[in-house]
């Protein structure tokens, strides 16, 4: 199967994709054949003289070191590269890995693209990839839930074997989040590696201000398809309206974080094209580990029942959303169908039973303490947080907003420094069902931000993560989600496609299955 040349459409195709990908992936460069129609158009269109793409985003990297939690965007910018790249539809395509195969249930072998070099000129061979992944294991806080316990074995210069602690049919999917970097340079430079990383991407930074500005130029020695863009300029745009104005005024070519109000404006303007990938589940995180009140299931159930999802969909999301069911967006073959209906009478009864009684101001108290929670939020989610504040006050729960800068929320969530949070770590389509559920709900995992723990759920995740049969995977996933839905460690709100992108129509060569990523085929037309 040519993983790098197939586009998957529809949920059934996604399932077929992740089943077939566990067997093998044939040789391919990362962009060969993925968008033939776009490539032909690019060849025939007249390109602008200055190939400079300028975009604004609220998710600027704070480091160029791929092990850093706030370095995710560098992969989307063509600066850092993983072994496999995640598509918008949840499938994967070859990137630095040319192909892969499952030799034994717990042993995988990856064949690397030949003649790849880091910017410094050092070879990206199997030994270098092994060193990079092992450094991720040590320093990347997301690594334990994805590649923790994996042994990396150099077979020869272009072949790296990976021995997992137990059989994992979808292990290859887990590699998409770990960019390969030159560990020798990281060791030599120390903290300077945060701004002087040695990577393999087709765009190399020439100016970097952490969290604010990133300017990169095409790297002439790039191993793959030569980039058509000469320069990339990315700037922080924390305010959605300011990002819209930047595009309207011609100061930027793309907005990588389109919000609902601005989506309407972009779609009405013929100068722009908007792209919205498959939806995800927007949720409210509950920190049971930190907040004693949230350890009472009756409180969590009451909060869940008090939320008016229709109001959130019609108001906050302007109708660009649908009701959530469980972890995964409704309609996926491994999603559950049942959803929570608003029932404020039942919510109030549960709070009464838990001993929280309304005071003169309408806020519930118990032993002189108010039933009050802080919601950690940031710009794109602040309207949602405000709406939740109003809805929960209706059943006697006081909510205090705790707005922070977008990238700062990443570390706060990992540190457990929140009570509740409108944080975008949301369920979406995936080829690694077990891996995604593991990262959210397995006991003790860093990205299980609220500290949820249920032995029955852990047991089901263990079974799911080792199951090679797709039908059984989906059944286990549904069982697991049903239990989680009843436990309410997270409040599922709605399914939407919040993280879309808007481009000036002069921007061509956009990969329709990686719509917010910069790819070598992108260019500016006249």
């Amino acid at each position: 199967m040519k993983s790098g040349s197939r586009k998957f459409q529809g949920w059934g195709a996604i399932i077929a994709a992740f089943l077939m990908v566990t067997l093998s992936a044939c040789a391919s460069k990362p962009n060969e054949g993925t968008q033939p129609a776009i490539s032909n158009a690019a060849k025939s269109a007249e390109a602008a003289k200055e190939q400079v793409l300028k975009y604004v985003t609220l998710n600027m990297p704070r480091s160029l070191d791929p092990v850093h939690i706030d370095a995710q965007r560098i992969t989307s910018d063509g600066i850092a590269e993983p072994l496999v790249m995640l598509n918008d539809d949840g499938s994967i395509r070859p990137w630095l890995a040319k192909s892969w195969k499952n030799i034994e249930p717990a042993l995988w072998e990856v064949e690397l693209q030949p003649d790849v070099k880091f910017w410094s000129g050092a070879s990206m061979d199997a030994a270098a990839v092994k060193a990079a992944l092992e450094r991720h294991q040590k320093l990347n806080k997301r690594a334990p839930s994805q590649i923790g316990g994996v042994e990396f074995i150099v077979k020869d210069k272009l072949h790296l074997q990976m021995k997992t602690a137990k059989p994992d049919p979808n292990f290859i999917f887990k590699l998409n989040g770990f960019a390969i970097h030159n560990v020798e340079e990281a060791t030599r430079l120390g903290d300077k590696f945060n701004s002087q990383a040695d990577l393999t991407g087709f765009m190399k930074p020439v100016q970097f201000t952490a969290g604010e500005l990133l300017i990169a130029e095409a790297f002439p020695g790039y191993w793959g398809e030569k980039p058509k863009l000469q320069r990339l300029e990315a700037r922080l745009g924390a305010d959605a309206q300011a990002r819209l104005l930047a595009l309207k005024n011609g100061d930027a070519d793309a907005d990588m974080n389109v919000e609902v109000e601005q989506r309407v404006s972009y779609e009405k303007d013929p100068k722009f094209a908007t792209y919205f990938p498959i939806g995800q589940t927007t949720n409210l995180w509950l920190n049971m580990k930190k907040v004693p009140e949230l350890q009472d299931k009756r409180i969590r159930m009451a909060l869940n029942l008090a939320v008016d999802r229709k109001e959130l969909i019609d108001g906050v999301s302007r109708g660009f959303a649908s009701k959530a069911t469980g972890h995964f967006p409704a309609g996926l073959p491994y999603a559950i169908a049942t959803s929570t209906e608003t029932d404020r009478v039942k919510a109030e009864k549960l709070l009464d039973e838990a001993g929280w009684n309304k005071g003169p101001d309408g806020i519930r108290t118990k032993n002189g303490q108010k039933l009050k929670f802080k919601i950690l939020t940031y710009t794109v989610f602040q309207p949602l947080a405000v709406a939740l504040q109003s809805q929960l006050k209706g059943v006697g729960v006081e909510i205090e907003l705790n707005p922070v800068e977008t990238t700062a929320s990443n570390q706060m969530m990992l540190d457990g420094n929140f009570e509740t949070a409108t944080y975008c770590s949301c369920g979406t389509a995936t080829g690694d069902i077990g891996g995604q559920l593991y990262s959210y709900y397995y006991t003790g995992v860093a990205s299980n931000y609220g500290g949820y723990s249920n032995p029955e759920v852990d047991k089901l995740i263990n079974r799911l993560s080792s199951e090679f049969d797709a039908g059984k995977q989906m059944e286990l996933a549904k069982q697991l989600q049903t239990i989680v839905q009843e436990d309410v460690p997270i409040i599922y709100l709605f399914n939407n496609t919040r993280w879309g992108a808007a481009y000036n129509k002069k921007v061509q060569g956009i990969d329709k299955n990686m719509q917010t990523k910069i790819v070598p085929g992108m260019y500016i037309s006249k």
Side-chain angles (χ1 to χ4, degrees):
M1 168 187 161
K2 292 190 177 181
S3 301
S5 62
R6 178 158 315 189
K7 294 198 300 179
F8 303 103
Q9 297 179 352
W11 304 130
I14 294 173
I15 295 302
F18 82 75
L19 277 175
M20 296 174 70
V21 80
T22 58
L23 300 177
S24 67
C26 299
S28 174
K29 288 188 178 181
N31 294 283
E32 283 183 350
T34 57
Q35 295 292 329
I38 290 177
S39 297
N40 291 338
K43 290 177 181 178
S44 61
E46 187 178 7
K49 184 177 181 181
E50 295 296 327
Q51 289 297 312
V52 180
L53 176 68
K54 301 177 182 179
Y55 79 77
V56 283
T57 178
L58 56 77
N59 188 25
M60 286 294 295
R62 292 184 167 189
S63 172
L64 301 179
D65 184 345
V67 303
H68 197 286
I69 186 173
D70 289 325
Q72 302 104 309
R73 181 72 218 178
I74 63 174
T75 298
S76 300
D77 287 342
I79 291 168
E81 298 180 305
L83 292 175
V84 296
M85 194 72 79
L86 186 67
N87 291 314
D88 291 340
D89 65 8
S91 62
I92 53 175
R93 67 178 73 180
W95 211 265
L96 290 178
K98 182 179 180 181
S99 64
W100 53 85
K101 58 185 176 181
N102 186 213
I103 299 174
E104 298 173 3
L107 183 64
W108 292 81
E109 183 172 295
V110 169
E111 180 183 2
L112 302 176
Q113 300 281 4
D115 304 319
V116 179
K117 294 186 182 298
F118 295 107
W119 296 330
S120 64
S123 293
M124 189 224 70
D125 55 15
V129 173
K130 176 181 188 294
L133 294 173
E134 288 177 342
R135 184 168 180 266
H136 275 292
Q137 286 178 321
K138 293 177 183 177
L139 301 177
N140 190 329
K141 292 187 177 181
R142 299 185 189 275
S145 66
Q146 301 294 311
I147 57 173
V150 177
E151 180 184 358
F152 301 101
I153 306 161
V154 175
K155 181 180 179 182
D156 56 42
K157 186 176 181 180
L158 291 180
H159 293 86
L160 181 67
Q161 294 186 339
M162 305 179 185
K163 188 173 184 179
T164 58
K166 59 183 180 181
D168 184 350
N170 301 312
F171 170 72
I172 295 299
F173 283 85
K174 296 178 172 62
L175 299 175
N176 82 85
F178 302 100
I180 305 306
H181 53 286
N182 187 348
V183 174
E184 289 187 3
E185 279 294 280
T187 302
R188 184 180 72 83
L189 292 173
D191 289 343
K192 290 182 180 179
F193 199 71
N194 284 305
S195 58
Q196 300 175 32
D198 192 18
L199 306 170
T200 63
F202 56 88
M203 284 290 173
K204 181 180 179 181
V206 294
Q207 186 176 346
F208 176 61
T209 303
E212 296 180 16
L213 173 69
L214 174 63
I215 298 177
E217 294 181 350
F219 179 60
Y222 183 59
W223 62 275
E225 178 186 350
K226 302 307 177 186
K228 294 179 173 63
L229 293 172
Q230 300 166 350
R231 185 178 173 94
L232 176 70
E233 297 181 3
R235 287 177 169 80
L236 176 67
D239 181 77
Q241 190 62 20
R243 295 197 301 275
L244 173 67
L245 291 174
L247 263 68
K248 295 272 188 180
N249 295 335
D251 296 325
D253 303 302
D255 175 356
M256 295 303 189
N257 302 99
V258 177
E259 299 182 38
V260 173
E261 295 295 329
Q262 288 67 39
R263 175 175 182 172
V264 175
S265 182
Y266 284 128
E267 291 184 347
K268 288 181 178 178
D269 194 325
K271 296 195 301 292
F272 303 111
T274 55
Y275 297 84
F276 287 86
I278 292 168
Q280 58 189 13
T281 302
T282 296
N283 48 44
L284 178 67
W285 288 84
L286 306 177
N287 194 342
M288 294 178 286
K289 185 166 54 177
K290 179 178 180 178
V291 184
E293 291 81 6
L294 292 175
Q295 294 168 11
D296 187 334
K297 183 177 177 179
R298 294 170 297 184
I299 303 296
R300 303 196 303 273
M301 291 174 64
L303 297 177
N304 193 28
L305 291 165
V307 172
D308 186 338
R309 289 161 176 81
K310 186 178 187 304
E311 183 180 273
L312 298 179
I313 291 168
D314 294 342
V316 175
S317 295
R318 294 286 296 274
F320 294 112
S322 59
K323 188 179 292 184
T325 53
H327 174 88
F328 293 108
L332 285 166
Y334 41 86
I336 57 177
T338 56
S339 59
T340 302
E341 301 298 329
T342 304
D343 190 337
R344 290 183 176 174
V345 172
K346 186 174 180 180
E348 300 232 32
K349 184 179 179 181
L350 284 166
L351 294 172
D352 290 339
E353 290 175 359
W356 294 89
N357 302 307
K358 281 189 176 180
D361 60 355
I363 302 302
R364 293 176 179 272
T365 62
K366 182 178 181 180
N367 300 324
Q369 176 186 342
K370 285 188 174 185
L371 187 56
K372 178 180 179 179
F373 305 109
K374 291 182 179 180
I375 289 186
L376 176 69
T377 189
Y378 46 92
T379 307
V380 71
F381 282 121
Q382 200 154 338
L384 172 61
V386 171
L388 290 172
Q389 181 185 46
S390 175
Q391 291 183 0
L392 295 177
K393 185 178 181 180
V395 296
V397 179
E398 184 175 335
I399 296 295
E400 178 184 342
L401 301 186
N402 180 26
V404 299
E405 189 268 323
T406 304
T407 50
S409 65
N410 294 332
Q411 193 63 52
M412 294 177 74
M413 292 296 289
L414 271 178
D415 292 341
N417 188 19
F418 72 101
E419 295 182 1
T420 66
T422 55
Y423 180 67
C424 190
S425 185
C426 313
T428 190
T430 181
D432 183 14
I433 304 173
Q436 189 171 133
L437 294 173
Y438 176 88
S439 66
Y440 277 74
Y441 308 111
Y442 200 86
T443 301
V445 173
S447 51
N448 176 356
Y449 303 114
Y452 174 61
S453 180
N454 183 325
E456 186 178 1
V457 168
D458 290 350
K459 184 178 179 180
L460 283 170
I461 290 174
N462 286 334
R463 286 177 59 192
L464 172 58
S465 298
S466 300
E467 179 57 64
F468 280 76
D469 182 89
K472 292 179 181 178
Q473 281 190 21
M474 287 186 277
E475 186 57 38
L476 287 167
K478 290 178 180 179
Q479 290 179 35
L480 194 156
Q481 288 175 86
T482 299
I483 296 170
V484 170
Q485 185 185 58
E486 293 173 353
D487 281 347
V488 201
I490 292 175
I491 295 177
Y492 305 115
L493 301 174
F494 49 79
N495 303 148
N496 73 337
T497 51
R498 173 173 298 276
W499 300 110
Y503 294 91
N504 186 305
K505 285 186 177 178
K506 289 183 178 180
V507 181
Q508 296 291 306
I510 298 163
D511 189 317
K512 297 296 180 62
N513 209 4
M514 294 197 305
Q515 299 172 41
T516 61
K517 290 184 173 71
I518 310 303
V519 295
M522 291 177 74
Y523 68 99
I524 310 297
S525 65
K526 282 189 176 180

